[in-house]
Amino acid sequence: MKNIFNVLLIALLCSAMASYAQINPWLIKADKIDLQNYYGISIANGIIGVTSAPEPFKVKSTVLAGAYDSYGRGRVSNFINSINLLNLSFSVNGQNVSEKNIQRFNQELNMKKGSFHSSFDFGTKASVSYTYYALRHLPYSVMLDVTVTAHEDLEISAAGIMESPDALREVQNYYSEINRSHVKAGLLSSTAKSPTGKINIAASSTFIFEEPKASQPEMSHASYDHNRHSMRFNKKLKGGSTYRFSLAGTLLSSSHHPDPLNEAERLTLFAKLEGRERLLMKHHQAWDELWESDIILEGDDQAQQDIHSMMYHLYSFSREGSEYSLSPMGLSGLGYNGHVFWDTDIWMMPPLLLLRPELAKPMLNYRFNRLEAAKKNAFEHGYKGAMYPWESADSGMEETPVWALSGPFEHHITGCVAFAAWNYYCVTRDQEWLKEKGWPMIAATADFWTSRVERNGPGKYDIKNVVAADEWAENVDNNAFTNAVAKSNLEIAVKAAALLNLIANPEWSLVARNIPILQFPDGVTKEHASYAGEPIKQADVNLLAYPLKVVTAPDQIRRDLNYYQGRVPAANTPAMTQAIFALLHARTGDAAQAAHYFNDAYLPNLNPPFRVIAETKGGTNPYFATGAGGVLQAVMMGFGGLDITDEGIKKLKSVMPVHWKKLTLKGIGPEKKQYIITLKEKGPF
């Protein structure tokens, strides 16, 4: 009996270890690649985003932050599908490698190292592995690193292919060689104009070899058509030997540098002479530094992996010092045209602000740099101050397609910008930034609301004719979230003025006191003046409890939760809504409901093979970074109880899912504090 027990115990332990191995906290693996059911993962460094493909040595797309032009999508500016510089043609003994003639093909995302790795066998002749990097320390540079193990004598041929998408104009292809006593470099380069000719785009790539110059392979150049060319080398390998080479490249535009072609080639040569080892060392150092701020969960291995994936995407889509903001789909593709919405200010920035404040700062500087455009927008609509556009791109003017009424009417974005600016100050205590950049935004947006309200008698300063945060409610009056964020904006302006010893506009306090928050007769907060219980697209009223904290009484929070969580349909709603429900249930003490909505916020939105999040349940438009930001707030501000207050980061009472053993929030805020949460209280607080 004892022996049987030991056998069973060993079997259980082996099973548990196997299960853990399958759910690695840092690696997301795809052992079976299905070309018909494949949603790529992104490798990005905050400027360049490269999305994976299901074929060997291929990438789906390359996106460059800050490069916008119009090419027929809604008559507004769009992210440009940029020059693809990392595809490789690879052959063994003259036979081209494809998904049809390889075995044991697998791919994996290493979130810890910021890399995307693939491997396969080419029959019995060779084993091949390769890894893509968007180099974290070099904003415009990427690298493909290849290792070939020959199982018999053979010859490989590798061609770096550069291809310009059809939408780009006036493509010019170049090939040149740099030859010095110590180095030889073939440079494959392309330039193109954006669809309207507004900007110039340039890319350059080169091979990096490990052997001395004299024994490095010779290069040959080939042109296929006007927008595609390559550089190729051949190499004979002995059986049992391993050969390694890299393809490094640079991509930038005239939005980033006045001379993009020459600079792309200079930066490519810089990467060449840095060499593979130094490039990887610095890349890994940069990612190690990012992960000093981490979320560590014990008790749910799958949730831990998913949380790391969400963090990885927000980290990889943002960059210190760039002064770019985040689009809902980050750098994963052309979703939402690469435009900037409230998704940044309310959903993606807060977790980054707590984890890595230096990554949140560029998003606010992006808004400051477009303050004058926001003032022009207010002027055009007959208002004072600054009115931020619902969709923003490069210029800061309104970029919403005309068919979407959110452009002229979704005004809550203006309050969201001010709210984010104040939160940045609250966390960093950077008074110099507040005075120089935060205050001008906060004051100008407060002035907007004093001109936006309609004074309809004592105590009744209405905000009429808006698209609500619940975007299914169009052209309604006194929307709960719009009114509440306007009040918050005005109150923030008063506080900021006092802090900076400046004179506040007396209208700010007066208007803030008189903006109504409507209620039903039973005390439930009413979404807008004509709301009668219709289905809602996303959280609106519930945002008054968090993040705005206009509603603070626990009974009121629960009353609003109970009412509105039943108004959200099962489909076609964005992931952030359920994340807010999870957060509020955690703060009000209902662990079971918090766990339910945490899972419901993203699990039905996942797509194979890398569990990438789509915007809606069953959706297929990943990666939805906005949803990741919402779920991370549920973890950090809900289960973790962290709260951004006027006095800085505070810890509130909260509950976690009952099967979670411990939650560690590491490297939080400028002081890099650590919070350990083990509380599992049940029932209402």
Side-chain angles (χ1 to χ4, degrees):
M1 182 65 70
K2 185 176 180 180
N3 289 337
I4 294 174
F5 175 78
N6 287 338
V7 170
L8 289 172
L9 179 60
I10 292 171
L12 288 171
L13 288 173
C14 290
S15 176
M17 292 175 66
S19 175
Y20 180 77
Q22 291 171 3
I23 307 178
N24 187 298
W26 295 108
L27 300 177
I28 305 178
K29 299 185 177 183
D31 294 325
K32 295 181 180 179
I33 309 298
D34 181 356
L35 272 68
Q36 306 305 316
N37 194 26
Y38 183 97
Y39 299 87
I41 201 78
S42 296
I43 299 296
N45 64 7
I47 301 292
I48 297 179
V50 178
T51 302
S52 71
E55 301 88 8
F57 290 118
K58 297 292 188 295
V59 297
K60 178 184 177 183
S61 63
T62 305
V63 173
L64 183 62
Y68 291 95
D69 195 15
S70 176
Y71 56 100
R73 291 165 56 120
R75 301 205 317 265
V76 295
S77 70
N78 324 107
F79 260 175
I80 297 170
N81 193 11
S82 296
I83 299 170
N84 193 330
L85 68 165
L86 279 188
N87 279 340
L88 194 76
S89 172
F90 187 82
S91 66
V92 178
N93 292 339
Q95 187 176 1
N96 286 331
V97 166
S98 75
E99 68 278 3
K100 297 177 182 178
N101 60 12
I102 60 176
Q103 302 80 42
R104 288 172 287 282
F105 182 38
N106 65 76
Q107 299 177 327
E108 70 176 31
L109 172 70
N110 189 322
M111 297 176 283
K112 182 75 170 177
K113 296 183 177 181
S115 63
F116 183 76
H117 180 79
S118 299
S119 64
F120 61 84
D121 290 337
F122 189 77
T124 60
K125 294 181 175 61
S127 297
V128 181
S129 65
Y130 59 95
T131 308
Y132 288 103
Y133 301 90
L135 295 169
R136 185 71 200 189
H137 64 295
L138 296 177
Y140 303 110
S141 298
V142 292
M143 187 171 79
L144 168 63
D145 194 40
V146 184
T147 301
V148 183
T149 299
H151 301 312
E152 58 185 56
D153 292 354
L154 52 81
E155 183 176 25
I156 64 169
S157 179
I161 298 174
M162 189 166 291
E163 186 170 11
S164 300
D166 291 338
L168 300 184
R169 295 169 40 195
E170 300 179 32
V171 177
Q172 299 290 322
N173 297 324
Y174 306 91
Y175 178 74
S176 59
E177 290 191 0
I178 306 295
N179 203 335
R180 297 286 189 272
S181 60
H182 61 295
V183 66
K184 178 173 62 176
L187 283 175
L188 188 73
S189 305
S190 292
T191 63
K193 290 186 178 296
S194 61
T196 69
K198 174 184 174 184
I199 64 174
N200 298 318
I201 304 170
S204 182
S205 64
T206 190
F207 282 111
I208 301 175
F209 299 107
E210 293 189 327
E211 57 263 53
K213 174 189 171 184
S215 56
Q216 289 178 6
E218 294 296 324
M219 292 287 145
S220 63
H221 176 248
S223 293
Y224 304 101
D225 51 39
H226 76 284
N227 66 342
R228 188 170 181 263
H229 65 138
S230 72
M231 58 181 176
R232 180 181 296 275
F233 73 88
N234 298 326
K235 182 76 175 182
K236 292 182 178 180
L237 304 181
K238 290 289 187 181
S241 67
T242 296
Y243 185 69
R244 187 163 57 200
F245 66 92
S246 303
L247 178 69
T250 302
L251 175 69
L252 73 168
S253 77
S254 54
S255 297
H256 308 92
H257 192 278
D259 184 6
L261 174 59
N262 284 331
E263 189 66 7
E265 293 189 340
R266 292 186 195 105
L267 290 172
T268 299
L269 287 171
F270 177 82
K272 166 88 171 181
L273 291 175
E274 278 283 271
R276 174 186 180 274
E277 295 299 325
R278 284 173 58 81
L279 291 174
L280 292 181
M281 176 189 70
K282 293 181 179 181
H283 171 82
H284 291 146
Q285 285 176 346
W287 271 102
D288 287 344
E289 182 180 345
L290 283 174
W291 286 115
E292 288 173 3
S293 297
D294 194 7
I295 299 173
I296 304 166
L297 172 60
E298 297 180 20
D300 191 333
D301 294 340
Q302 186 59 73
Q304 170 69 94
Q305 186 192 72
D306 293 337
I307 289 167
H308 274 162
S309 179
M310 297 172 204
M311 295 177 67
Y312 161 79
H313 281 91
L314 290 191
Y315 281 171
S316 65
F317 291 158
S318 53
R319 187 174 188 90
E320 180 181 4
S322 69
E323 301 207 341
Y324 293 130
S325 194
L326 293 183
S327 176
M329 302 304 181
L331 296 173
S332 67
L334 307 182
Y336 284 108
N337 297 323
H339 292 174
V340 178
F341 301 70
W342 75 318
D343 300 56
T344 302
D345 312 279
I346 296 298
W347 300 105
M348 292 182 277
M349 197 199 80
L352 285 173
L353 178 56
L354 294 187
L355 290 162
R356 307 294 313 186
E358 73 276 11
L359 296 182
K361 187 176 183 179
M363 303 171 196
L364 294 162
N365 289 348
Y366 168 90
R367 293 296 195 187
F368 172 76
N369 293 339
R370 290 154 182 81
L371 177 58
E372 291 307 311
K375 290 179 178 178
K376 291 179 181 178
N377 194 32
F379 175 79
E380 288 179 4
H381 289 81
Y383 303 124
K384 297 179 180 178
M387 174 183 170
Y388 277 91
W390 177 241
E391 297 189 33
S392 179
D394 185 39
S395 70
M397 299 304 291
E398 184 61 70
E399 296 273 8
T400 303
V402 173
W403 58 262
L405 296 181
S406 48
F409 294 108
E410 198 155 354
H411 296 171
H412 67 77
I413 180 65
T414 296
C416 294
V417 171
F419 187 77
W422 181 246
N423 276 349
Y424 179 78
Y425 165 73
C426 290
V427 170
T428 64
R429 320 309 290 177
D430 187 344
Q431 193 162 322
E432 182 178 348
W433 180 90
L434 179 65
K435 184 175 182 178
E436 179 184 339
K437 295 183 177 179
W439 167 254
M441 290 189 287
I442 291 169
T445 52
D447 286 341
F448 165 77
W449 292 114
T450 62
S451 69
R452 180 64 179 83
V453 296
E454 299 180 22
R455 293 160 171 80
N456 294 315
K460 193 175 181 184
Y461 285 13
D462 298 318
I463 301 177
K464 294 188 173 183
N465 199 21
V466 299
V467 171
D470 164 24
E471 290 175 318
W472 289 347
E474 296 180 332
N475 302 100
V476 298
D477 298 339
N478 287 326
N479 165 242
F481 181 76
T482 304
N483 285 20
V485 81
K487 288 170 69 73
S488 296
N489 190 163
L490 293 159
E491 291 165 355
I492 284 167
V494 173
K495 288 185 285 190
L499 181 70
L500 297 172
N501 295 314
L502 300 171
I503 298 174
N505 182 342
E507 283 276 287
W508 294 342
S509 293
L510 174 65
V511 174
R513 288 194 302 270
N514 288 283
I515 295 175
I517 304 296
L518 305 181
Q519 289 188 334
F520 287 110
D522 62 0
V524 171
T525 305
K526 194 175 184 181
E527 187 183 90
H528 53 81
S530 55
Y531 183 72
E534 299 87 354
I536 62 173
K537 177 183 177 181
Q538 60 200 69
D540 187 305
V541 164
N542 304 106
L543 299 175
L544 275 61
Y546 176 90
L548 298 183
K549 291 180 279 188
V550 170
V551 172
T552 57
D555 287 346
Q556 183 66 48
I557 294 172
R558 293 190 193 99
R559 186 181 296 117
D560 291 345
L561 262 178
N562 291 336
Y563 183 84
Y564 285 101
Q565 66 190 20
R567 297 312 191 268
V568 181
N572 301 318
T573 60
M576 311 94 72
T577 298
Q578 288 80 7
I580 285 296
F581 293 163
L583 186 155
L584 293 175
H585 279 301
R587 286 189 169 192
T588 53
D590 192 331
Q593 284 289 286
H596 166 75
Y597 281 109
F598 170 75
N599 291 328
D600 195 44
Y602 78 97
L603 290 180
N605 302 55
L606 298 179
N607 282 284
F610 301 106
R611 299 176 68 83
V612 292
I613 300 176
E615 182 175 6
T616 60
K617 293 178 174 65
T620 57
N621 61 340
Y623 185 87
F624 189 47
T626 308
V631 175
L632 287 177
Q633 289 187 66
V635 174
M636 300 174 69
M637 288 76 150
F639 304 139
L642 299 187
D643 195 41
I644 299 173
T645 75
D646 291 349
E647 291 74 41
I649 302 170
K650 302 293 183 182
K651 174 71 176 69
L652 303 177
K653 195 175 183 181
S654 61
V655 295
M656 299 191 300
V658 294
H659 63 288
W660 287 17
K661 296 178 181 178
K662 183 166 73 171
L663 179 66
T664 302
L665 306 175
K666 177 185 172 187
I668 300 300
E671 298 175 352
K672 301 302 177 187
K673 291 184 177 180
Q674 180 168 291
Y675 298 85
I676 298 176
I677 299 95
T678 57
L679 185 66
K680 301 186 185 69
E681 295 181 10
K682 298 179 180 179
F685 280 16

